[in-house]
C-alpha cells in the first residue's frame, strides 16, 4: 500500500543525518545484503515494523517542528527509503507545503529513487565500491543505476553528500582510491554541480550485537581500516579537487 510507511526505529539526531537537529525515521526493508550492515533488523519488513499512515507520520512531524533548529527537519533512512518511494513522495509533498526540510539517506541502487530526487532538499547516498562486479557480488547492487541516480541529483545542483564506507578487504588501496576519485571527478564535471560533497566513513561493528541478539552470525571479518588506508583515499580525493567533509 502506497499510503503506509513502515519503520523500525525513530529518534532525533544532530547533524549526522542532514543539517541541524533532525527527526530520523528508519524505514523497513532493503534491497541489498551488505555483510557488514549495522541495522540487520531493518533488512526485511516484518510484523514488528511500525506502520504509519501518511497522515499519522505527517501529524507527528508537524508536532515536532519546534525541535528542527539550525536548519533541521526530517530525514528518512533505512533499510532503503526507495522501496517505499510512492508513500515517501506523498509525505514529502505535504511537508514541502509546510516548509519543512527533508533529507533521504539511500543506497541509490533502485530506479524508484529517481521519484524522490527532485523534491528532497538533501540527499545522502552511499557509494560503496567503484568495482561493478565486486559491488554486485558482495551487496547485490547495480552500479549503473547508482551512477544514473547520482548524476540526476548532481545535475540539479542541489546538495548531494556521497558517503564511502571504507572497509578493509573490500574497497581500500591505491587502485580503489584512484577509481573512486576518477568517478567523482567525472560526476562533478559532467553535472557541473558545486554541491557534491564526499565523506569517508570507516568500518565499525556497531551492529554486531544486534546479530548476536537475533541469534544470527555476523560473517564479515577483518573490516577495520588503518589511518594509512584512510589517508590514501583522502589524498586521492583532494588531489582531484573534490570536497571532503565530516558530519
Amino acid at each position: 500500500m502506497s499510503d503506509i510507511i513502515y519503520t523500525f526505529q525513530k529518534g532525533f539526531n544532530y547533524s549526522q543525518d542532514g543539517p541541524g537537529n533532525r527527526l530520523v525515521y528508519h524505514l523497513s526493508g532493503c534491497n541489498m545484503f551488505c555483510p557488514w550492515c549495522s541495522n540487520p533488523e531493518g533488512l526485511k519488513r516484518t510484523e514488528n515494523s511500525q506502520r504509519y499512515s501518511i497522515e499519522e507520520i505527517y501529524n507527528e512531524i508537524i508536532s515536532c517542528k519546534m525541535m528542527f533548529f539550525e536548519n533541521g527537519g526530517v530525514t528518512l533512512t533505512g533499510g532503503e527509503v526507495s522501496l517505499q518511494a510512492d508513500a515517501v513522495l506523498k509525505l514529502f509533498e505535504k511537508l514541502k507545503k509546510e516548509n519543512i526540510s527533508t533529507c533521504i539517506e539511500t543506497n541509490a541502487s533502485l530506479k524508484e529513487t529517481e521519484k524522490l530526487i527532485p523534491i528532497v532538499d538533501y540527499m545522502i547516498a552511499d557509494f560503496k565500491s567503484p568495482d561493478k562486479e565486486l559491488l554486485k557480488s558482495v551487496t547485490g547492487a547495480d552500479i549503473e543505476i547508482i551512477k544514473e541516480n547520482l548524476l540526476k541529483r548532481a545535475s540539479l545542483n542541489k546538495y548531494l553528500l556521497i558517503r564511502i564506507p571504507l572497509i578493509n578487504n573490500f574497497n581500500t588501496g591505491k587502485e580503489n582510491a584512484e577509481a573512486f576519485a576518477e568517478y567523482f571527478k567525472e560526476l562533478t564535471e559532467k553535472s557541473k554541480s558545486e554541491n557534491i560533497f564526499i565523506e569517508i566513513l570507516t568500518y565499525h561493528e556497531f551492529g554486531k550485537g544486534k546479530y548476536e541478539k537475533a541469534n544470527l552470525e555476523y560473517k564479515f571479518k577483518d573490516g577495520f581500516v588503518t589511518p594509512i588506508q584512510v589517508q590514501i583515499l583522502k589524498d586521492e580525493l583532494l588531489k582531484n579537487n573534490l570536497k571532503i567533509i565530516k558530519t
Side-chain angles (χ1 to χ4, degrees):
M1 295 176 61
S2 61
D3 289 333
I4 299 293
I5 292 177
Y6 297 84
T7 74
F8 65 92
Q9 182 178 314
K10 67 179 178 181
F12 276 92
N13 196 10
Y14 180 77
S15 81
Q16 293 181 329
D17 300 284
N21 198 44
R22 307 192 76 83
L23 179 56
V24 182
Y25 292 89
H26 290 256
L27 274 58
S28 298
C30 188
N31 61 303
M32 294 172 66
F33 41 80
C34 307
W36 53 79
C37 181
S38 59
N39 290 313
E41 72 275 35
L43 291 176
K44 296 181 180 179
R45 193 177 303 168
T46 69
E47 59 184 20
N48 294 323
S49 297
Q50 175 69 49
R51 289 166 50 99
Y52 284 94
S53 70
I54 291 173
E55 197 64 28
E56 284 173 334
I57 198 168
Y58 169 78
N59 289 335
E60 183 172 77
I61 291 167
I62 293 298
S63 72
C64 296
K65 279 184 76 171
M66 66 180 68
M67 297 295 293
F68 300 154
F69 53 82
E70 296 186 26
N71 298 315
V74 175
T75 296
L76 301 187
T77 184
E80 173 49 44
V81 174
S82 300
L83 286 173
Q84 303 184 52
D86 290 338
V88 170
L89 181 59
K90 291 179 183 179
L91 174 64
F92 281 176
E93 287 171 344
K94 289 172 69 67
L95 295 178
K96 193 173 186 67
K97 294 176 182 177
E98 296 295 328
N99 294 314
I100 292 177
S101 169
T102 56
C103 176
I104 59 170
E105 294 180 307
T106 176
N107 60 42
S109 68
L110 292 171
K111 289 284 189 180
E112 286 78 8
T113 306
E114 66 182 352
K115 298 177 182 179
L116 305 176
I117 287 172
I119 193 171
V120 70
D121 296 307
Y122 299 91
M123 179 170 163
I124 301 172
D126 278 358
F127 194 83
K128 295 178 171 66
S129 173
D131 185 319
K132 179 177 181 177
E133 300 304 325
L134 181 65
L135 183 69
K136 184 70 173 180
S137 64
V138 175
T139 73
D142 184 336
I143 200 170
E144 297 307 324
I145 296 177
I146 296 173
K147 287 182 175 181
E148 287 173 13
N149 283 325
L150 295 185
L151 180 58
K152 286 173 184 174
R153 178 64 181 186
S155 297
L156 297 175
N157 200 24
K158 296 175 70 173
Y159 185 96
L160 172 60
L161 172 59
I162 303 174
R163 285 176 169 165
I164 304 171
L166 193 61
I167 300 167
N168 189 45
N169 294 318
F170 176 63
N171 61 2
T172 53
K174 180 72 170 175
E175 186 175 336
N176 276 309
E178 290 175 347
F180 274 122
E182 180 181 0
Y183 166 65
F184 295 140
K185 182 179 180 181
E186 177 186 335
L187 176 65
T188 301
E189 292 175 347
K190 189 179 293 186
S191 66
K192 297 181 172 58
S193 175
E194 299 176 353
N195 286 299
I196 299 173
F197 305 91
I198 313 295
E199 183 171 26
I200 302 170
L201 302 180
T202 56
Y203 173 82
H204 60 73
E205 292 183 344
F206 297 159
K208 190 173 183 179
K210 298 178 182 179
Y211 287 81
E212 295 169 353
K213 188 176 180 180
N215 293 318
L216 298 172
E217 182 184 359
Y218 186 80
K219 297 181 180 180
F220 199 77
K221 309 294 183 184
D222 193 25
F224 289 103
V225 295
T226 67
I228 292 175
Q229 288 174 312
V230 176
Q231 195 61 50
I232 288 171
L233 176 56
K234 186 178 291 186
D235 288 346
E236 201 63 40
L237 296 175
L238 290 173
K239 189 170 75 175
N240 286 274
N241 299 314
L242 296 161
K243 301 173 184 176
I244 302 175
I245 66 171
K246 185 172 181 58
T247 58

